[in-house]
Amino acid sequence: MPDSQADIDREIADIATAVAKAVAGGEPEPEHVSRDYRPYRSSVLRHPHHPLILTAEADTELRGPVFGVTDVTELDRDLTRHHLGEPLGERITVSGRVLDRDGRPVRGQLVEVWQANAAGRYAHHRDQHPAPLDPNFTGTGRCLTDGEGRYSFTTIKPGAYPWRNHTNAWRPAHIHFSVFGTAFTQRLVTQMYFPGDPLFRYDPIFNSVTGEAARQRMIAQYDHDQSSPEWSLGYRWDIVLDGPAATWMEEGR
Amino acid sequence: MKPTPSQTVGPFFGYALPYAGGGDLAPAGHPDTVVVHGHVYDGAGDPVPDALLEFWQADPDGGLDGLPGSMRRDHVDGSFPGRDGVRFTGFARVATDADGHWAIRTLPPGATGPGRAPYIAVCVFARGLLQHLYTRVYFEDGAADPLLASLDPARRATLVAGAEPGGARRFDIRLQGDRETVFLEFR
Ligand SMILES: [Fe+3]
């Protein structure tokens, strides 16, 4: 029998209780996602059992791939202009800065996004959710960060969608982000959520980040100053990359 | 500043992140081209058909500057014409196919310093994997390399791409289980 939402809720609560107890006992609140998070059933067979090997001897990983004007087009950042017509849904802009742990801007690096349409359907053959495809929306975009580490996308607010983790599983609305830092060790793939989503408490992927403050860092803020009159609603979301950066590159480029 | 947590790449990245020629690092017809390929397996030994792999490496001279142009776009129609066929960018991105298989065609990385064994850095993403994993493809089981030397032989073997008849190199990635691949962290 498939798990019910109540089964998943119980598992999420049990893990949250254990984390709260550890924090009360003096352990730091978790900053990262837990790879081994049973309420997200697909993680069970897809996380390593061996501890990761800490590697001091890295040089390749302290550098990283380079992207430039040849790798993006001007239109890539506006997901509403990839087809002849206007996509359906609530037009939004999502913008913010990409920073490293020391708060320094990550300049000239590639940011990629992908998302469901306003009805909660991906333009992907394997997404069989019976919600309409939008012929005017594919849902992929990319841009390079500017000299201050800023990125910006114009898109449509994605819808929530069902999945098969358990019975009646629904993902809160989200935009998938892929971000490169100045070092391969700073690579990040994550999901940006929207404030006040009622589905947060039911979603094992969102709750796989077991620290409350850390979960908040995945949620964008509505920013009225970023809204354009009679055009779009504005959201702000800053991204902080973890992992060592090659600090000597500060002088270089 | 506190880092933004990772989330899984999910099942539907396939129309967004992979691109035509993503695994074709080597200029077409380059005589030194080496094929590196393998499967990704989960903890039950089943192939993982929805993984995404990224590769980053030194050029054949050991240079780590990289070059843009890995996912070159046509600025007229927005299509992906592929790389320019001349410059070696050092970066590759491929998704696994329905059988959990992947392949790249690259030039062997050069040593990045004296006494260092050349390797290709790998970043593994998949549905079900909440944060990516790093590993390395080595071409020789060089005991001089500090990382390889620190591992017992069975685990070390998971990082070395074996030579196949015909010259291709085989590198399977096991996310969990008996012959689990060595995954790395950097602080
Ligand atoms: Fe999604």
Side-chain angles (χ1 to χ4, degrees), chain A residues 28-81:
Chain A
E29 195 178 82
E31 287 187 354
H32 284 289
V33 76
S34 162
R35 282 193 188 87
D36 176 11
Y37 192 74
R38 194 176 162 74
Y40 176 29
R41 295 292 189 246
S42 301
S43 76
V44 172
L45 289 171
R46 293 186 173 191
H47 70 272
H49 285 167
H50 285 273
L52 304 186
I53 305 290
L54 180 64
T55 319
E57 305 81 9
D59 44 18
T60 301
E61 290 91 348
L62 289 177
R63 303 292 294 277
V66 179
F67 300 96
V69 292
T70 54
D71 297 305
V72 294
T73 72
E74 256 321 295
L75 217 53
D76 286 345
R77 70 171 67 236
D78 189 344
L79 286 71
T80 68
R81 292 175 62 201

Side-chain angles (χ1 to χ4, degrees), chain A residues 31 40 42 46-47 49-50 53 59-61 63 70 76 101 112 142 184 187 190 193 217 240, chain B residues 1-5 7 43 50 54 56 65 73 93 112 119 127-128 132 134 136 176 180 183 185:
Chain A
E31 287 187 354
Y40 176 29
S42 301
R46 293 186 173 191
H47 70 272
H49 285 167
H50 285 273
I53 305 290
D59 44 18
T60 301
E61 290 91 348
R63 303 292 294 277
T70 54
D76 286 345
R101 280 199 79 141
E112 297 163 281
R142 60 180 72 73
F184 207 45
R187 189 81 177 85
T190 187
Y193 298 90
R217 293 197 291 275
V240 179
Chain B
M1 298 183 82
K2 300 283 193 191
T4 307
Q7 295 271 268
D50 38 21
E54 288 183 346
W56 160 244
D65 284 343
R73 306 294 302 285
R93 174 189 278 172
T112 54
Y119 64 87
R127 178 181 66 84
H132 60 264
Y134 292 106
R136 290 176 177 176
Q176 187 187 86
E180 187 177 301
F183 296 108
E185 68 179 326

Side-chain angles (χ1 to χ4, degrees), chain A residues 31-35 37 40 42-50 52-55 57-61 63-73 76 99-101 103 110 112 114-115 122-124 126-127 138-140 142 176 178 180 184-191 193 205-206 208-209 214 217-218 237-240 242 244 253, chain B residues 1-17 42-44 47-50 54-58 64-75 78 80 87 91 93 112-113 116 119 121-123 125-136 146-147 150-151 155 175-177 180 182-187:
Chain A
E31 287 187 354
H32 284 289
V33 76
S34 162
R35 282 193 188 87
Y37 192 74
Y40 176 29
S42 301
S43 76
V44 172
L45 289 171
R46 293 186 173 191
H47 70 272
H49 285 167
H50 285 273
L52 304 186
I53 305 290
L54 180 64
T55 319
E57 305 81 9
D59 44 18
T60 301
E61 290 91 348
R63 303 292 294 277
V66 179
F67 300 96
V69 292
T70 54
D71 297 305
V72 294
T73 72
D76 286 345
L99 305 166
D100 68 13
R101 280 199 79 141
L110 183 69
E112 297 163 281
W114 69 105
Q115 63 168 87
Y122 283 91
H124 189 293
R126 289 188 61 197
D127 184 358
T138 303
T140 65
R142 60 180 72 73
H176 294 267
S178 155
F180 287 86
F184 207 45
T185 51
Q186 293 177 298
R187 189 81 177 85
L188 176 69
V189 166
T190 187
Q191 301 179 23
Y193 298 90
I205 293 182
F206 178 74
S208 64
V209 176
R217 293 197 291 275
M218 300 189 291
W237 188 53
D238 289 341
I239 299 165
V240 179
D242 202 7
R253 30 187 229 242
Chain B
M1 298 183 82
K2 300 283 193 191
T4 307
S6 166
Q7 295 271 268
T8 177
V9 75
F12 297 137
F13 59 82
Y15 73 105
L17 298 182
D42 70 12
V48 175
D50 38 21
E54 288 183 346
F55 302 85
W56 160 244
Q57 64 166 90
L64 284 167
D65 284 343
L67 284 170
S70 294
M71 50 181 80
R72 217 161 55 98
R73 306 294 302 285
D74 184 316
H75 284 242
F80 286 91
R87 289 178 291 186
F91 177 74
R93 174 189 278 172
T112 54
R116 291 194 170 273
Y119 64 87
V122 186
C123 192
F125 303 89
R127 178 181 66 84
L129 180 59
L130 284 155
Q131 181 165 2
H132 60 264
L133 291 164
Y134 292 106
T135 185
R136 290 176 177 176
L147 171 64
S150 72
L151 301 167
R155 299 224 71 208
L175 296 176
Q176 187 187 86
E180 187 177 301
V182 169
F183 296 108
L184 306 173
E185 68 179 326
F186 309 91
R187 277 195 222 121

